[in-house]
Amino acid sequence: MNQTAIIFATRKGGTRRIVQKLKDAIDTENVDLIDLKENTDPDLAPYQAVILGGPVYAGKLFPPVYDFAVAHEQSLMNKKLGLFLCGMNEPEFDAQMERSFSENLRNRAVSRQILGGEFDFSKLNWIERFLIKRITGIKKTTQKYRQDCIDKLVDAFKVNDTMEKSVVNES
């Protein structure tokens, strides 16, 4: 059995929408979604493959995901691994990936992708709305998913069921 876990955390719900797209696209009954805000210490033993990621806020990976990656690095090194970030700051994508995951995890990953993101102004407080408007110029709810990168991550987990490492592509 090829059991895959998609491990993530979300602050406003955008990352959950993206990981649901991943799960649906991988098209297998053997994919579990694990939200680190609901399950802070999931057991990785049943899983052969793990896709790990979350949103970037102010240039940093959401702390529940970052903390999980640091605490479980050794276990993750023994899995087929995919890494992803959700974010909207395209010029910083490479630097954000580097800051978010250790070099060991980045090198182990069969795919490292930035999947895009969203700003849902109905879920943001006035300070967040102000900062987003000021920094990005975006003034209303916006979704910008990178379907090509979602597809690359999915393809890395559909290609084969072995633990072989063949890096598909960085963002």
Side-chain angles (χ1 to χ4, degrees):
M1 177 178 1
N2 183 24
Q3 191 74 348
T4 300
I6 302 176
I7 302 174
F8 70 101
T10 186
R11 193 167 145 225
K12 304 285 185 183
T15 301
R16 179 175 290 281
R17 283 186 281 285
I18 289 177
V19 299
Q20 187 61 54
K21 287 177 180 263
L22 288 173
K23 180 179 180 182
D24 293 345
I26 292 172
D27 193 32
T28 176
E29 295 176 11
N30 295 317
V31 175
D32 293 331
L33 298 183
I34 301 172
D35 186 337
L36 292 171
K37 287 176 71 177
E38 297 168 7
N39 180 356
T40 59
D41 193 24
D43 180 13
L44 297 179
Y47 302 103
Q48 292 179 346
V50 173
I51 301 172
L52 175 65
V56 174
Y57 292 102
K60 295 184 179 181
L61 181 59
F62 194 36
V65 180
Y66 180 83
D67 295 345
F68 179 84
V70 170
H72 296 276
E73 182 169 336
Q74 279 310 116
S75 296
L76 292 167
M77 293 296 291
N78 296 318
K79 308 290 180 185
K80 181 176 183 181
L81 181 64
L83 301 173
F84 73 90
L85 297 176
C86 296
M88 301 276 282
N89 188 358
E90 289 188 36
E92 292 295 314
F93 283 169
D94 291 334
Q96 289 172 349
M97 183 63 74
E98 192 170 311
R99 283 191 303 268
S100 297
F101 299 105
S102 73
E103 183 177 3
N104 287 338
L105 291 179
R106 292 191 320 270
N107 288 338
R108 175 70 184 137
V110 297
S111 184
R112 300 172 297 274
Q113 302 295 330
I114 310 290
L115 305 181
E118 66 182 51
F119 294 126
D120 185 343
F121 276 63
S122 70
K123 294 182 179 179
L124 301 174
N125 65 40
W126 72 271
I127 294 172
E128 292 168 323
R129 287 191 304 271
F130 172 79
L131 290 173
I132 288 169
K133 288 176 187 177
R134 179 83 176 194
I135 294 168
T136 68
I138 295 172
K139 295 177 171 46
K140 62 181 182 174
T141 295
T142 303
Q143 292 180 337
K144 186 176 180 186
Y145 300 129
R146 300 175 75 204
Q147 190 61 49
D148 60 326
C149 295
I150 292 169
D151 293 343
K152 287 176 188 175
L153 184 56
V154 167
D155 289 346
F157 284 80
K158 282 185 157 181
V159 171
N160 60 47
D161 294 333
T162 69
M163 292 287 290
E164 292 178 22
K165 182 178 183 295
S166 59
V167 174
V168 170
N169 195 8
E170 283 192 61
S171 56

